[in-house]
Amino acid sequence: MEKQTVLVVDDIPENIELLSAVLRNEYKVKAALNGELALKIARSNNKPDIILLDVMMPKMDGYEVCRQLKLDVSTASIPVIFVTAKSEVIDEQKGFDFGAVDYITKPISPPIVSARIKSHLALYDQSRHLERLVAQRTQDLHKTRLEVIHRLGKAAEYKDNETGMHVIRMSYFCKFMAERLGMSEEWVDLLHNAAPMHDIGKIGIPDAILLKPGKLDNEEWEVMKNHAVYGGEIIGDSDEPLLNMAREIAVCHHEKWDGTGYPNGLAGKDIPLSARIVSIADVFDALTSERPYKKAWSEERVIDLIKSEAGKHFDPELVPLFLSCLDEVRSVQKRFRDESFD
């Protein structure tokens, strides 16, 4: 088993040598003669497992070193033990206030130093193990939520003439546009995974209307438009970012830039950005895809339509952004083809 690393920080070489002699049989020992070097070592790729830190050092004292360690997320969890000749209670309290886990006074007692280091390393190891378990559990929960989202998206497909490939393709189109916009990686990921839920509300539409091969009459169309409202009700209100975005997309992806869409007649940037992106991606893929009731439009014809609807149906700033993604869009279309309807 590889030895754990102890960083000893002291401006007096003899003190470093004394502690090294106590520790080197059990631990790998690194040394720093000043605070600046200590911080550099602590922030390196090979971080120490624990730090023994003198208080009284020139330029940067031990308290300031500890403060900076605790402010840096990459070093904040490393346990710090002050080893110092400052033995007043107020000095010890100051050390703990800066985030140290222990305080040992000089002259040191080798058995006490060894015992304290062993105890705090054991606690640190346990803490890191728990953090790994929590991180794994969080990852598992995130994966489960994504699976639920995708399964609900597939549920809508059983009620519709769309295919599973449609929701995969359009979700990638959304991802490309969000990346072009410079949105954060987290936001892009949320959009990519929430977009497949856009038509979940079609579960609530009667089959006679949803699967009607011909054009819907006015009364039927009013019923069909309710799928946006139903989508919001199915997903519900949630503080979970993924479900929250899925809901706003389900409710708003048929709103239009000029305010003539449904269900709420929102206009312009009152329409959530996620829904404005999905609107373009959804229309492009639906029109370029073949269905049992229609032939696929040519890409050129669909692009002409989308351009003509900039500022009316679609956000005029997002249309050229989508067109700049066409190479990636075509690649996804080839990768996730529908089965033939011949």
Side-chain angles (χ1 to χ4, degrees):
M1 182 177 178
E2 187 176 350
K3 289 182 178 180
Q4 291 176 290
T5 301
V6 180
L7 171 60
V8 179
V9 187
D10 199 304
D11 62 317
I12 299 176
E14 290 79 8
N15 290 339
I16 290 178
E17 180 55 37
L18 176 60
L19 284 167
S20 297
V22 173
L23 302 172
R24 65 169 59 102
N25 287 336
E26 290 189 70
Y27 307 102
K28 180 179 179 181
V29 180
K30 292 185 178 181
L33 288 168
N34 57 66
E36 291 86 351
L37 180 56
L39 290 172
K40 183 177 180 180
I41 294 172
R43 291 165 176 162
S44 67
N45 291 331
N46 298 314
K47 291 178 172 53
D49 296 290
I50 195 166
I51 299 173
L52 302 187
L53 182 58
D54 185 28
V55 172
M56 295 182 290
M57 296 186 294
K59 293 185 180 180
M60 183 185 298
D61 67 16
Y63 295 136
E64 177 59 19
V65 174
C66 188
R67 187 186 73 84
Q68 292 198 30
L69 287 169
K70 297 306 172 183
L71 286 175
D72 188 334
V73 67
S74 70
T75 58
S77 63
I78 301 173
V80 174
I81 298 177
F82 280 114
V83 182
T84 177
K86 295 173 71 69
S87 58
E88 297 295 327
V89 172
I90 190 171
D91 298 318
E92 293 186 16
Q93 183 61 55
K94 188 174 181 180
F96 289 122
D97 289 344
F98 275 102
V101 297
D102 212 336
Y103 198 98
I104 299 173
T105 56
K106 297 174 181 176
I108 66 165
S109 165
I112 288 178
V113 171
S114 295
R116 299 277 183 85
I117 290 176
K118 187 172 293 186
S119 295
H120 288 296
L121 282 175
L123 289 171
Y124 185 39
D125 288 344
Q126 184 179 43
S127 175
R128 285 186 289 189
H129 177 64
L130 289 173
E131 286 175 0
R132 287 192 292 269
L133 290 177
V134 169
Q136 182 60 51
R137 181 58 175 156
T138 300
Q139 184 179 11
D140 291 344
L141 287 172
H142 180 65
K143 184 177 179 181
T144 300
R145 283 196 296 269
L146 292 183
E147 185 68 19
V148 170
I149 289 284
H150 291 152
R151 293 298 176 184
L152 284 172
K154 284 188 69 67
E157 296 160 24
Y158 283 99
K159 287 276 290 180
D160 198 1
N161 283 311
E162 300 292 358
T163 73
M165 294 297 103
H166 166 68
V167 296
I168 291 173
R169 288 192 300 264
M170 58 82 62
S171 68
Y172 272 104
F173 302 166
C174 293
K175 178 176 183 287
F176 300 148
M177 294 172 68
E179 289 172 339
R180 286 286 207 286
L181 269 177
M183 304 303 290
S184 69
E185 184 177 344
E186 180 183 13
W187 199 91
V188 172
D189 187 57
L190 286 175
L191 179 64
H192 185 210
N193 288 295
M197 290 282 286
H198 66 289
D199 273 339
I200 186 64
K202 287 184 177 179
I203 290 174
I205 303 300
D207 287 352
I209 293 175
L210 191 65
L211 303 179
K212 183 177 178 179
K215 185 177 180 180
L216 300 179
D217 61 33
N218 290 338
E219 185 177 343
E220 291 169 333
W221 179 241
E222 290 303 313
V223 173
M224 174 64 85
K225 289 196 295 187
N226 285 331
H227 83 273
V229 176
Y230 296 158
E233 292 173 349
I234 289 169
I235 297 171
D237 293 320
S238 174
D239 293 329
E240 160 60 43
L242 180 59
L243 291 175
N244 186 48
M245 184 179 285
R247 183 182 186 280
E248 71 180 17
I249 290 171
V251 173
C252 300
H253 72 287
H254 284 295
E255 300 287 0
K256 296 184 179 180
W257 184 259
D258 63 6
T260 62
Y262 64 88
N264 298 310
L266 299 180
K269 293 189 177 179
D270 286 340
I271 305 168
L273 176 60
S274 60
R276 283 181 270 144
I277 291 174
V278 165
S279 177
I280 297 174
D282 186 33
V283 168
F284 179 85
D285 191 73
L287 292 178
T288 54
S289 301
E290 183 181 357
R291 294 291 178 265
Y293 54 88
K294 77 170 187 71
K295 294 293 184 180
W297 286 25
S298 69
E299 180 186 281
E300 182 180 7
R301 182 184 176 190
V302 178
I303 289 174
D304 286 343
L305 173 71
I306 289 176
K307 286 180 178 178
S308 71
E309 289 295 318
K312 292 183 282 186
H313 187 154
F314 305 119
D315 181 337
E317 294 179 2
L318 293 181
V319 168
L321 196 76
F322 173 74
L323 298 179
S324 73
C325 302
L326 282 176
D327 285 343
E328 295 103 310
V329 165
R330 294 175 186 127
S331 176
V332 166
Q333 287 178 313
K334 291 178 181 178
R335 181 181 173 192
F336 299 103
R337 292 181 184 274
D338 290 323
E339 294 182 6
S340 174
F341 290 105
D342 294 340

